[in-house]
Amino acid sequence: MLAVIESNGDGYKARFERRLTHPAEQAWTYLTDNEHLKQWFPELQVKDLHLGGIIRFDMQDGTFEELRIVGFKESSVLEYTWGEDRVRFELYPKAYGSRLVLVETMAQVTLHTPKDLAGWHVCLDVIEALMDGRTIESRKDNWEKWFGEYRTLVETRV
């Protein structure tokens, strides 16, 4: 269930994959609708949902970073810049519901990378739990568990 991390020549890719028992359209709302988005990533807000559009990241200090949408296909692909990196969500309809793929393309791996990977892992857990009508007791505890796993993974793969 850990992300798969691979070198791609120009940097690294971390690929997360989840089998969801919910339709792709429902998962799409959690990625693109601000009311749903704030339930799992309150610092993000979609401003213009289209290719070339903007997602805002609240830096929690009164400033915002603009993330440019560089890949978009309604109900199936959302990709945006994140500093030097990119974050791409892909949704695939399946008989059991849908498959959600998150690919983070990273220019480099740093000491902060395991923290980010653990964060994305927990975000995906939260999206799934929200769609299932469940709650996650402690996101912080989950993050700490996954941070240890990703720190080991990054040390052995990179």
Side-chain angles (χ1 to χ4, degrees):
M1 201 158 159
L2 285 176
V4 175
I5 302 172
E6 298 176 334
S7 173
N8 64 5
D10 294 330
Y12 298 87
K13 285 190 178 190
R15 179 184 173 93
F16 300 82
E17 191 167 324
R18 298 292 170 89
R19 288 175 53 121
L20 304 174
T21 59
H22 304 277
E25 294 79 13
Q26 184 179 1
W28 182 254
T29 65
Y30 280 89
L31 303 177
T32 60
D33 175 80
N34 287 326
E35 289 304 309
H36 287 89
L37 186 59
K38 72 181 178 183
Q39 294 177 46
W40 66 274
F41 205 144
E43 295 82 12
L44 289 182
Q45 181 183 43
V46 175
K47 295 303 285 181
D48 298 306
L49 186 60
H50 57 82
L51 188 62
I54 299 292
I55 296 175
R56 293 177 65 193
F57 180 78
D58 185 346
M59 301 295 288
Q60 303 292 303
D61 62 3
T63 64
F64 295 86
E65 182 176 331
E66 290 194 346
L67 313 175
R68 178 79 51 196
I69 297 174
V70 295
F72 181 82
K73 184 176 177 190
E74 184 69 37
S75 297
S76 65
V77 175
L78 177 64
E79 180 177 5
Y80 46 88
T81 59
W82 194 288
E84 295 180 332
D85 302 337
R86 290 187 178 204
V87 175
R88 180 180 178 92
F89 292 93
E90 301 171 0
L91 285 162
Y92 300 94
K94 297 291 182 185
Y96 53 78
S98 58
R99 182 167 51 103
L100 171 60
V101 176
L102 165 59
V103 178
E104 183 176 11
T105 304
M106 302 168 283
Q108 58 184 333
V109 171
T110 68
L111 293 175
H112 200 268
T113 299
K115 294 177 183 179
D116 292 339
L117 296 176
W120 284 122
H121 192 109
V122 172
C123 284
L124 294 176
D125 287 347
V126 171
I127 290 171
E128 189 171 7
L130 288 167
M131 287 193 297
D132 288 347
R134 297 181 289 113
T135 58
I136 292 184
E137 294 280 328
S138 172
R139 292 182 191 189
K140 183 177 186 262
D141 289 348
N142 281 358
W143 180 87
E144 287 174 358
K145 171 192 168 200
W146 293 115
F147 169 64
E149 297 280 337
Y150 282 107
R151 186 175 52 209
T152 300
L153 180 65
V154 167
E155 289 170 357
T156 60
R157 299 262 190 231
V158 180

